[in-house]
Every structure is written in structure tokens, then in C-alpha cells.
Amino acid sequence: MAMFSLAIRARAKANPLLTRRALHFRNFCNGRFGLSTSESNPPDRPVAGTKFLESFKEEFEIGSRVISLETGKIARFANGAVVLGMEETKVLSTVAAAKGDAVRDFLPLTVDYQEKQFAQGLIPNTFMRREGAPKERELLCGRLIDRPIRPLFSAGFYHEIQVMASVLSSDGKQDPDVLAANATSAALMLSDIPWGGPIGVVRIGRICGQFIVNPTMDELSLSDLNLVYACTRDKTLMIDVQAREITEKDLEAGLRLAHPEAVKYLEPQIRLAAKAGKQKKEYKLSMVSEQIFEKVKKLAEAPIDAVFTDPSYGKFERGEALEKITQDVKSALEEECDEQSLKVLPKVVDTVRKKVVRKRIISDGFRLDGRHLDEVRPIYCEAGHLPILHGSALFNRGDTQVLCTVTLGAPQDAQRLDSLVGPPTKRFMLHYSFPPFCIDEIGKRAGLNRREVGHGTLAEKALLAVLPPEDDFPYTVRINSEVMASDGSTSMATVCGGSMALMDAGIPLREHVAGVSVGLVTDVDPESGEITEYRILTDILGLEDHLGDMDFKIAGTRNGVTAIQLDIKPAGIPLDIICESLEPARKGRLQILDHMEQEISVPRNQDDRNSPRLVTLKFSNDAIRRFIGPLGALKRKIEEETGARISVGDGTITIAAKNQAVMEKVQDKVDFIVGREIVVGGIYKGIVMSIKEYGAFVEFNGGQQGLLHISELSHEPVSRVSDVVSVGQQISLMCIGQDVRGNIKLSRKATLPWPESETKSVVEGSAPVTKEKPNIWASPENMSKGEQLESTLEELVPSKMENTESNRSASLMPSVVIRSAAECDEEEKSAGLSKTSKSAPKPKGTLKKGSKQKKIQSSDNMPDLSLSIMLSESLSRMGGNQEFTSQDEDEANLSDQNDKETGGNTPVTPQKLKLGTKVTAKIYQIRARGLVLDLGGGIRGMYKFESNGEREFTVGDELLVQCSSFTSKGIPVVSMVDEE
């Protein structure tokens, strides 16, 4: 080896081009040399061949839509796999059976339906970006597949079966649930599992009275019927209906149309199974020998018959008696050491019970509790069982008891749906709960239960038909149904209790909805399998449901059916019997509705402060941006402080509050941030921004400013503004007016209680005052000059005031003080018409002018208020904030508000009133120096007594006057016109 290495080195020195690669040496590998193969002539590598996937396909047409069944291309290892397609919607369904012998006494059939978001080209909007636990819709679709295929498995076949249906693609036009059910039937036909199919499942809709086969989702949204029907060639297996009060006659017509359409699915499945189906496997069946059955029957039949013929037994008493019989039979078999009989004893005893009950019902026509076949159990209804809740009801039918509660929420509380088809949200939810204590058992509460989801959805569909439209009732509604005791038909009891609870919550339902469950007991010929006799049972018990052949749940109003769910135990029931069951169900439903309407027949008026409130406010987008704040900080802060729910839309803010107190608190905050339309008499909260000698400027209503004059701070005289308010202080204010320039005038004293001295002093001769109708105007910056003038003129309408102290403090009109004419005359005489006239009130009586007396009308109902302040208020509306002197007092009285018309044919307006205009006026107030006249059209005029005039006047008299001049304040001065 050493000599070989030296020779290589010598050759490398002689020929530098000679390298390790040229000598076919490879690189170091694990510290050793080795010869490498030549890369110039690599050996032929194997090339992957083409795999041929043999597939089989069947195409057919139902309801103008082409449907395809395909197998062999995907999921080839499954016991049976089929892809069913309708247009661009494709569903894969697979079935598999467990290996080995079954050791159970029931059929462990599991159906899993899944909708993944890839089927519509989306990524899940979850944190992990993948699908999680099954959603409600997936559970419901799984039940829809399970219910028609379960009865067709052979008796005694207890091997574990799993069905998995997955949506591969969806175009959003077709609901994949019906496609998955038909694909499952085809997959079972292809498998080696013994099954009595095939079945056909079809959906029927109705628009404008015309039935539609396999309607699209858009057509279903317009349809008043959503019927899913499953059948074999000659018998019905499953019915699921959601309708808008469809009559029994129309429903029967829909069922009879659905059967031949569903049968069209059968032949393609049979042809596909003939091409690609497997040979059915011989599975071991768990059957009870005839010898064991007769032995147990001999021991148990007589005591079981004695229990079932005694109607005095209740549910649990009957159960305890039957359990004692089972224990007695078990003791007898143990004495005989009959191990085979002991293994199947519970199942055999149950079979004996079934035969005894069915024989008594068919032969005698009597049921376990002694009722007739069409008799409904006693009913107890109670609406408003829990008064503090939004709505509640307790419903009892026999021993079945359900407590239903209603909770109202905001629109954003609606449930978000991630399904491939259908609406994205759901605003009405019904959650059904079946706790273990309702049947005196123990158990664990964990996750969604398929049975609870199915029963809750059935009741939800039944009530959905009578709910008001979303535009009329925008609340989100949730019903909780808590089963307190169960002895059959708890889902139909939920419908009844839910309907009463909705009305108790004040929701305007069109009609009450009730539900009843109808059962069936048949006698079958063992050789032909045909039904020889049958009995239809109304309002079945839990044991009748267990031992019978059918559970036909039907809910509706007096006008028609709103929901149906049919579950059966045998391998199909003739459609004629199904249709015959509709009439007993209708009669039973009407009996229940009578009891419900006696308890509550119309929605309650929810005027208490505990009921929820929902308000939608409209604002500009700029105002909404101010309300939301940076990154929604202000909105979130309000929600955290108040507990209310606030949603923002295009130009709207929707507030949902728990009660009225919370709503008022939120509205105050919204008003402070955003503002609202200003109303004369409206009370607002504001912050003092600056203080002047004559008053304070206050910011309120979302950034608007108004003047709080020193005279409007308090009922008591105020020398300095800073003695009452300070900068930054939050105070409550009332809007008392707006001048022609759009300046808003505020009053603090109008929101304060009246001093006792003024509220108790009611002087005879007080001026009649009327309550003011609130005026609404736009913000000053949005008003044109013409609009400002028009706003000023609209303010001149008569004001009215309530006659009690509480009404005065709560009134929405500008708070003013009006004194009687006697007080004003005394004030003028004592002060010489000075600016600060404040004389004490004069005793009640009459006033003199010259030698005549003028009668003063006495009114004990009129408040003792200051007329001068009212007049200054009117003048300020016309000319801004001006000092009010005593010589203008009479003129200022004329600017008080009034909306009455003049006595003429046409009302007087400020534009029409000119010099020389004649009008018929009413005496509004009698003063020492003249009269205050109501000219109509919201205008006050003044008539001064003549020096030698002697005439008696009374408030309310009509005078024909003529406009002779105007004062500096714009108040018309009139003169008397002699009537011809």
C-alpha cells in the first residue's frame, strides 16, 4: 500500500493535471480512501410509472339540477367513499366499521360532518388559524344524516360504525347538508356493511305558492317553507321542517311532492353499487334466542302488565316498580344458574315491557297514565315567573316542566356564524339545557351536546316565524330553556314556554306558538312486515316515546305549522300515516294555545326601569369621530364606566343599556362629547369656561358655547358671578333661548327648585301662561341669516306652565318668574318706573284708573312668577342680551311667546304687521298704564290708556285695534278703532 502511494505521488509531480478526481478517488469518507465510480456513464435510474385510478361515476338530474356520484378516485382505503357534486359544491362521505365482534347491546353509530374554510377559499379567523371543535351547524348536519340511516341497520347489529362527511368545495348556492346525506347513503351501499338502504334525501321550498325542488340559498331566503324529506322507495324515514305558518293541507302537499323526488336518488346509487360495490360481509348479530325470551317473558309479563294497567303510578313510582320486577327475575335466574339469560336480561325485560304496552294501547285504546289516545296532559302556565328578568315563563305539561327566560341585547350581541352558507350572523338564539337532575340522575356537564343542540334548534325554528322583523325590533334575543323535570316532549314544552317568555319581555309576537309530540304504536305482520294495525297518540310520555315507533314533534300557531321534526325507530313508516298524524297534532296544539292565551295573550308594556333600552342616534361622521376618540379610547371608556354596549355605524350610534338609568348616563356622556340638537327648555350639562362681570360662558353639548347671564344664576340676587360658579365647574343648565345672531342663552336658576316664598305666594290676577312647545334648531354655525331671523320669529309663541310646583320644576319651557298685575303696578308706582323695581306684592283686589275700576281675573292655579323677567327674556330673544329698563317693561311684555292666530281670517305675522294694519286682539294683561294685547301669530302689542278715557276692561275681551307705531324695541303700539 505504501509503494502504491509513492507511485501515485511521483506521477502527480510529473503530470500536474493528474488529480485525485482523475484517478477516480473519492473524497475522504470516515477517514478512509476508496475508488469512486465514473460520473460520465451513470447507470439508468428507475422512472416513476403512471398510476391509473379507476373511478366510477353516475350522473342524474333532480329538480333541474345535475347531480353526480363518483367513487374510486379519492379515499380508496375507506370501507365506502363517495363524492357527490351539484354544480361546484362537492361533498365527500366515507364510512368505516370496527373490526372484531361486538360486545354492546346498542348500535354505536357516529356521524361527523365538517365544514372547513378552505371549501370557500378562506383562512379561518381563529387564533390558531385552523378549525376547532364542531360548530352547532356541523352537529345539526350530523344529526340530519344520522336520523334517516340509523333505522336501516339490521336488528342486533352492534358493531361500531363511523361516518365522516366533509365539504370539499362550496359555491354558496347549495346547502351541503342534503348532499352529504345522499353521499352517505351511497357510501354505505358501496361498503361491506349490512344496511337496508339506499335512501333519498331532498329539500323542498315554496315561493308564492309554488313548490321548488332543491332550491338555492337565495331561493330559500324568499321561501316560506324549508322541508327536508328522507325516505326509502315506499316509506318515510325522516322529516325536518321550518315554515312560516304553513297550513296542514299545504304541508301534506309538499310531503307528497317530496317523496317521488327523493326516490330519484335511489337508482343511481344502486347502479353505482353494482359497478364498484363490495360484497356484504357476514357480521355477527347479537340476537336473543327464542327460548331465553320465552323464559323471561313467563316470569316478568304478569307483574309488568299489573304495573302498566295501574294509572296511579307516576313516572318514578312506575320505574321503581319495573326495576323491582327486573330484580325478582334476576334472582330467579341466579337460583337456576342461567348465565346466558342473565347476560341479556335487561334487554329481554325491555322487550317484554314493549310488547305489553303496545298490546294494551292497540287492543284497549288506553295509555300508561289512563288517558285517551287524543288527550293532552294537564297544563300549568305562569308568565313573569322571575320579574326582575327581561322576560320569563314557567310551563308545565303533566310532569314535564320547563323554565324559559328571555334576555335582550344590542345588535352587536348577535351570534357570528362561520358556516359555508347562510347568513353571517344570527340575532335570535334559543339554548336548550337538559341537566341530569331533571330525571333524578347524576352526570357531568361538558361542551355541546348533540341532543341539546338539536332540541334547541327545533324550538328556535318554531319561534322564529312569529318574531317581528329586524327593522321594527333591532334587539338581539336569547332564550334559555332550562328543563326542570322531564317526562316527554321537553322540546315542545320549550316552544310553549319560550313563546310566553317572549311576550312577557314585551316582544311584539304575531301569534303564540305551541308544540306537541305525536307518537305511534303499530302491530306488524312478522311474515310480510306490513303494518296491520296502528294507533296515533297525542302528547306522548317519555316511556311511550321509548316503547313506541315514532316521535313526531309539531309546533305552530293557530294559523299553521312553523316547525316539524320526525324521528322513527322502525325501517320506515308509510307517508299516509304521517299525514294522518297532522290533524291530531293540530287539535292538541289548539288546546295548549288556549291555556297559554289565558295566561298572557299580548306583549307586556316594558315601562319599568329594569327593562333594557336600545337607542339609535344620528350624527355626522365628524361628530362620530370625536365620540370614538383616538383608537376608540373614548368609546371603550364609556362602555367600561357604564356597562352599556355601543356600536357605531355609518352616521349612527346605537346604544344598548341594561336599564333606563344606564341609558341616561350614557346619553349624557354622548351629548357632552358629540352634542345634540338644542331644544328650548332642554337641560344640559356644561363646564364653565370663563367668567365675566355680566355672566359666564359655558361649554356644553359637544363643544358649543352659551352665555349664562348673571341674572340667570340664581333665584336670589347675585352680586358677583364668581360667588356662584367657578371656571371648570360642571353645572346643569337649561336652554332658554337664542338670539338672531345664534347666541345660545342659558339659565342655571331654571334648573333649581323654587324658593318657598315664591312658590307659596299666588296672587290673584296672575297672567294666564301656557306651556311652551319646545323649539329645535340647528347649530349656530350651520344657520344662515335668514334661518336665524326665522328662528327668532318662531320663538314668539305663547308659553304655558303647569299649575303645580312639581310640574313647574320639571317643565321643559324656559324657566321664568311672572308676577301679577297688582304687584307690577305697585312696583311701578313706588319706584317710578325705575330699573330695579322690587316692591312687595299688593293685596288681592282691583286696580283703579281714573274714576273707573278695572276688573282683575283671579286665578288660584297660576304661579306667582315675575313678569318683568319674562319680558326681559322675550326682548333678549329679539335684540340680544340687552339691559332691561323699567320704561321698557310694558314693551317687553309683548315679546312673550304665543302660537295663537288673530281673530281675523288670516293670522298676523311680523312681515304682515305694518302701520295701519287692523286686527282683532285679545286683552292678555291689564297694566297700570295700559293693556298688553295678543295680536295673534305669536305677536304682543301695547295699548296705552288715554288721559281722559274711561272704560272697563277684562282679560280675554276682544278689541278691534290698529297698529299706529312701533317702539324702539320693535313692539307694536296700537290704538282703539271704533266699531261701525
Side-chain angles (χ1 to χ4, degrees), residues 875 878-879 882-885 887-888 891-892 895 966-972:
L875 282 176
M878 297 180 62
Q882 303 178 12
E883 293 294 333
F884 187 67
T885 61
Q887 66 182 3
D888 297 329
E891 299 173 3
S895 62
F966 291 91
T967 68
S968 60
K969 304 293 185 182
I971 305 300

Side-chain angles (χ1 to χ4, degrees), residues 285-458:
L285 303 181
S286 300
M287 304 296 293
V288 178
S289 66
E290 188 67 24
Q291 181 181 359
I292 295 176
F293 177 77
E294 290 297 333
K295 185 176 183 178
V296 175
K297 179 182 176 182
K298 183 178 180 180
L299 295 172
E301 185 176 24
I304 288 175
D305 185 66
V307 172
F308 286 151
T309 53
D310 189 353
S312 63
Y313 279 109
K315 175 179 179 177
F316 292 104
E317 292 82 3
R318 187 184 301 113
E320 291 174 358
L322 293 174
E323 181 62 26
K324 186 177 183 302
I325 294 172
T326 303
Q327 294 300 323
D328 292 342
V329 175
K330 181 179 180 181
S331 299
L333 295 176
E334 287 176 346
E335 291 178 359
E336 299 178 6
C337 299
D338 191 348
E339 296 295 334
Q340 294 297 325
S341 299
L342 288 172
K343 288 181 180 179
V344 295
L345 178 62
K347 187 172 185 61
V348 176
V349 171
D350 187 67
T351 304
V352 174
R353 293 177 188 173
K354 185 175 181 180
K355 289 185 175 295
V356 170
V357 170
R358 295 165 71 90
K359 179 181 178 182
R360 184 167 185 264
I361 291 175
I362 290 178
S363 60
D364 301 335
F366 285 98
R367 301 161 67 173
L368 298 179
D369 54 357
R371 283 183 295 151
H372 295 287
L373 300 182
D374 59 349
E375 186 177 351
V376 178
R377 289 174 285 176
I379 295 172
Y380 171 80
C381 302
E382 180 184 347
H385 180 70
L386 303 172
I388 198 173
L389 302 183
H390 299 167
S392 63
L394 187 66
F395 182 83
N396 280 67
R397 184 170 56 225
D399 290 332
T400 296
Q401 184 182 67
V402 172
L403 173 65
C404 290
T405 61
V406 172
T407 306
L408 303 179
Q412 64 267 29
D413 291 330
Q415 181 183 0
R416 294 185 179 89
L417 304 176
D418 293 329
S419 58
L420 300 179
V421 293
T425 60
K426 183 171 68 171
R427 72 181 186 99
F428 175 62
M429 300 161 282
L430 193 150
H431 297 153
Y432 168 96
S433 179
F434 191 90
F437 67 78
C438 70
I439 51 175
D440 196 23
E441 292 183 358
I442 59 174
K444 295 175 65 176
R445 306 287 299 165
L448 289 176
N449 182 283
R450 289 176 181 250
R451 179 180 178 275
E452 291 181 343
V453 171
H455 282 24
T457 302
L458 173 63

Side-chain angles (χ1 to χ4, degrees), residues 170-334:
S170 173
D171 56 7
K173 297 180 181 179
Q174 295 291 332
D175 196 327
D177 56 355
V178 171
L179 307 184
N182 285 291
T184 300
S185 172
L188 285 169
M189 290 294 293
L190 294 175
S191 69
D192 61 8
I193 302 170
W195 186 64
I199 66 170
V201 185
V202 70
R203 173 174 270 111
I204 302 293
R206 190 179 73 162
I207 300 177
C208 300
Q210 299 295 321
F211 290 107
I212 301 174
V213 181
N214 286 334
T216 63
M217 296 304 299
D218 292 338
E219 291 172 335
L220 274 180
S221 64
L222 303 175
S223 173
D224 62 353
L225 174 65
N226 185 358
L227 165 64
V228 178
Y229 181 86
C231 65
T232 59
R233 193 173 297 277
D234 55 356
K235 293 184 179 180
T236 302
L237 290 169
M238 186 269 298
I239 298 174
D240 196 274
V241 173
Q242 179 180 359
R244 299 175 189 171
E245 298 179 279
I246 187 173
T247 63
E248 281 77 7
K249 181 179 179 181
D250 292 342
L251 179 61
E252 181 178 350
L255 293 174
R256 296 196 180 278
L257 169 66
H259 189 90
E261 294 294 332
V263 169
K264 295 179 181 178
Y265 281 94
L266 305 185
E267 287 300 326
Q269 296 181 48
I270 295 174
R271 293 196 300 267
L272 187 65
K275 295 177 183 178
K278 298 179 181 179
Q279 183 70 29
K280 295 299 180 182
K281 185 178 178 182
E282 293 292 334
Y283 284 88
K284 181 179 179 181
L285 303 181
S286 300
M287 304 296 293
V288 178
S289 66
E290 188 67 24
Q291 181 181 359
I292 295 176
F293 177 77
E294 290 297 333
K295 185 176 183 178
V296 175
K297 179 182 176 182
K298 183 178 180 180
L299 295 172
E301 185 176 24
I304 288 175
D305 185 66
V307 172
F308 286 151
T309 53
D310 189 353
S312 63
Y313 279 109
K315 175 179 179 177
F316 292 104
E317 292 82 3
R318 187 184 301 113
E320 291 174 358
L322 293 174
E323 181 62 26
K324 186 177 183 302
I325 294 172
T326 303
Q327 294 300 323
D328 292 342
V329 175
K330 181 179 180 181
S331 299
L333 295 176
E334 287 176 346

Side-chain angles (χ1 to χ4, degrees), residues 243-248 461-467 495-496 499 503 509-516 554-563 582 585-594 596-597:
R244 299 175 189 171
E245 298 179 279
I246 187 173
T247 63
E248 281 77 7
K461 292 190 292 186
L463 295 171
L464 189 62
V466 297
L467 284 179
V495 174
C496 302
S499 180
M503 281 203 176
L509 300 185
R510 292 203 308 272
E511 295 277 346
H512 257 315
V513 183
V516 67
I554 306 175
T557 66
R558 293 187 180 275
N559 301 325
V561 175
T562 58
L582 295 175
R586 188 187 68 85
K587 292 180 179 178
R589 186 172 75 245
L590 295 180
Q591 296 179 39
I592 299 170
L593 287 171
D594 290 338
M596 294 168 59
E597 290 172 354

Side-chain angles (χ1 to χ4, degrees), residues 439-551:
I439 51 175
D440 196 23
E441 292 183 358
I442 59 174
K444 295 175 65 176
R445 306 287 299 165
L448 289 176
N449 182 283
R450 289 176 181 250
R451 179 180 178 275
E452 291 181 343
V453 171
H455 282 24
T457 302
L458 173 63
E460 180 182 299
K461 292 190 292 186
L463 295 171
L464 189 62
V466 297
L467 284 179
E470 187 173 0
D471 294 339
D472 298 336
F473 193 81
Y475 291 88
T476 296
V477 183
R478 182 193 184 208
I479 297 180
N480 270 89
S481 173
E482 303 291 330
V483 179
M484 297 298 168
S486 173
D487 191 15
S489 302
T490 53
S491 61
M492 295 296 95
T494 295
V495 174
C496 302
S499 180
M500 291 193 300
L502 289 172
M503 281 203 176
D504 183 61
I507 299 176
L509 300 185
R510 292 203 308 272
E511 295 277 346
H512 257 315
V513 183
V516 67
S517 186
V518 176
L520 178 70
V521 174
T522 61
D523 188 10
V524 180
D525 186 350
E527 295 183 359
S528 63
E530 297 296 327
I531 297 176
T532 57
E533 280 190 274
Y534 64 91
R535 297 289 184 270
I536 297 173
L537 313 178
T538 302
D539 186 21
I540 57 176
L541 298 171
L543 191 58
E544 291 172 336
D545 181 12
H546 173 67
L547 301 178
D549 296 327
M550 177 179 76
D551 183 10

